[in-house]
Amino acid sequence: MHQQGILKTDDLITRFFRLCTEMCVEMSYRALAEQQQHTPATSTAIIRAKCYHNLDAFVRLITLLVKHSGEATNAITKINLLNKVLGIVVGVLIQDHNVRQLEFQQLPYHRIFIMLLLELNAPEHVLETINFHTLTAFCNTFHILRPTKAPGFTYAWVELISHRIFIARMLAHTPQQKGWPMYAQLLIDLFKYLAPFLRNVELNKPMQILYKGTLRVLLVLLHDFPEFLCDYHYGFCDVIPPNCIQLRNLVLSAFPRNMRLPDPFTPNLKVDMLSEIAIAPRILSNFTGVMPPQFKKDLDSYLNTRSPVAFLTELRGSLQVSHEPGNQYNVQLINALVLYVGTQAIGHIHSTGSTSSMSTITHSAHMDIFQNLAVDLDTEGRYLFLNAIANQLRYPNSHTHYFSCTMLYLFAEANTEAIQEQITRVLLERLIVNRPHPWGLLITFIELIKNPAFKFWNHDFVHCAPEIEK
């Protein structure tokens, strides 16, 4: 091919790979159409083998060209060629997806990507030197093809991002966890696509299958890379709809593998005596990024000086975006506000040499804000606010401890039973689903129902349904 000058100019390279991709895809469509015309005797396996035969040969050719393009040591040329080829396949896929619509077939594209991924991650010296760049190229490609952009490719896409080699390479083998933010972005792409269907509980058969697949991917991550879920829990919970209790519990139940969780049911468990309780967890999502600059400025000013006083009275308005029930509030801003105020409060308490407790978290600008939100917000807003607190009740760390105390304090100091009922609801609905349950959630709830100071059992709402009482 070099001798024939096929790879001489950019235009020739592009034309060659575009035509090759289109021919391979066309052959696959023809083979799949053949299968529909014939009796089931031409089994799916035979037709697939026929498609794979051509597609795999094409992938082998791409791999050889990437490996041998440029000098043996010139990684840039190799990666440029790979990026070019991936871009061409993406272009063909998107055009095909738009033209054929319901007739679109994922099979040829899935096979090209998966075989290319496996070939380029083979244990070979030439490939090892460009490994991280190769993974970056695939991540960018998958991000471009995310389900919101190419819904017809969704199943194949989930299979690609959850392939064991891809997960292992992205999360275990990248130096200094460089692959983590890229992989987190792909999961966020998946949650964002699922969100409207889950929020409106519109789960037709295809969506149910996709949801089940998503749960399985999360279970794999929870088992093999729990630290990854710990570090990015904020970004994930930000895009998972409030009604997806179990999906969120899976993310929030993750804890570092080197930690032994104390049994939350231990009688008289002294949480504040645990050594981990003073250590802040790592949060790799940029949560202050959603705050408007003026809002952040006023917030910081209020936390430092308790002025401007108007900040508190205008807070509900700052969080509201519409008057449409169910979509009244800027959920991302509520989540960011709660975590930011909490981290500032913890810093303030630690700077005085204390630790979080029911007595040290009170009478501060931080608690003013939380109490104001609990009292001032309507039912929808308060539910989102309490959910944002509950999202921080995870494994033993300083955030879990502070927010657990805050939740209990808000319950104890509530001026209406409605607030206490909502706090109970937020905790309870996360505990009545199947396991796993986050550790911090359990200790908070156990403290609430066992500690006589909270008079939990004296409230009417506890007895409104036998299931709750039970």
Side-chain angles (χ1 to χ4, degrees), residues 99-112:
V99 172
R100 295 199 200 236
Q101 298 192 341
L102 294 176
E103 305 299 311
F104 174 77
Q105 291 282 359
Q106 313 178 53
L107 179 136
Y109 304 103
H110 177 255
R111 186 68 176 184
I112 290 173

Side-chain angles (χ1 to χ4, degrees), residues 194-314:
L194 273 168
F197 298 98
L198 294 170
R199 192 179 292 116
N200 305 321
V201 202
E202 289 170 12
L203 291 182
N204 52 16
K205 196 79 177 94
M207 280 330 261
Q208 283 175 21
I209 296 171
L210 183 61
Y211 176 67
K212 216 176 239 175
T214 306
L215 286 181
R216 285 179 181 168
V217 177
L218 277 181
L219 281 168
V220 168
L221 294 172
L222 182 61
H223 187 273
D224 292 351
F225 302 103
E227 292 84 358
F228 169 72
L229 289 181
C230 292
D231 289 354
Y232 286 95
H233 87 286
Y234 180 87
F236 298 152
C237 289
D238 220 22
V239 290
I240 294 174
N243 60 337
C244 299
I245 312 286
Q246 192 174 18
L247 198 58
R248 208 173 31 242
N249 270 356
L250 279 177
V251 173
L252 299 178
S253 296
F255 61 91
R257 266 173 297 196
N258 58 5
M259 189 181 272
R260 297 271 323 188
L261 290 189
D263 179 356
F265 295 98
T266 312
N268 305 324
L269 174 66
K270 292 277 177 276
V271 175
D272 37 5
M273 304 305 276
L274 301 173
S275 56
E276 300 90 355
I277 225 71
I279 301 165
R282 193 162 75 142
I283 293 182
L284 293 181
S285 312
N286 169 24
F287 58 90
T288 54
V290 297
M291 292 187 182
Q294 189 57 47
F295 177 80
K296 173 117 175 17
K297 199 173 152 198
D298 292 345
L299 171 61
D300 286 334
S301 161
Y302 186 83
L303 290 176
N304 291 326
T305 63
R306 283 191 169 170
S307 68
V309 180
F311 178 75
L312 276 191
T313 46
E314 290 163 9

Side-chain angles (χ1 to χ4, degrees), residues 311-324:
F311 178 75
L312 276 191
T313 46
E314 290 163 9
L315 190 52
R316 176 174 170 174
S318 309
L319 300 174
Q320 259 180 325
V321 283
S322 79
H323 293 294
E324 186 194 336

Side-chain angles (χ1 to χ4, degrees), residues 22-78:
E22 286 171 353
M23 279 157 68
C24 285
V25 169
E26 198 48 51
M27 282 172 173
S28 300
Y29 271 105
R30 273 206 303 260
L32 292 162
E34 223 171 274
Q35 181 192 2
Q36 284 163 354
Q37 288 159 12
H38 294 302
T39 51
T42 37
S43 76
T44 316
I46 296 171
I47 298 292
R48 287 204 157 189
K50 203 169 164 184
C51 297
Y52 290 169
H53 184 71
N54 296 316
L55 296 164
D56 293 357
F58 177 42
V59 167
R60 186 60 54 84
L61 175 66
I62 297 172
T63 311
L64 284 168
L65 288 170
V66 168
K67 269 203 274 193
H68 300 295
S69 63
E71 303 303 315
T73 51
N74 190 348
I76 296 176
T77 324
K78 298 183 189 348

Side-chain angles (χ1 to χ4, degrees), residues 272 349 354-364 367 405 409:
D272 37 5
I349 292 166
S354 312
T355 55
S356 301
S357 70
M358 293 291 275
S359 53
T360 57
I361 63 172
T362 59
H363 309 309
S364 65
M367 194 45 79
C405 293
Y409 181 76

Side-chain angles (χ1 to χ4, degrees), residues 306-354:
R306 283 191 169 170
S307 68
V309 180
F311 178 75
L312 276 191
T313 46
E314 290 163 9
L315 190 52
R316 176 174 170 174
S318 309
L319 300 174
Q320 259 180 325
V321 283
S322 79
H323 293 294
E324 186 194 336
N327 288 316
Q328 285 191 74
Y329 290 91
N330 179 341
V331 184
Q332 270 77 24
L333 187 55
I334 292 177
N335 288 341
L337 173 70
V338 167
L339 185 56
Y340 183 71
V341 172
T343 51
Q344 296 294 312
I346 295 165
H348 176 69
I349 292 166
H350 286 183
S351 69
T352 61
S354 312

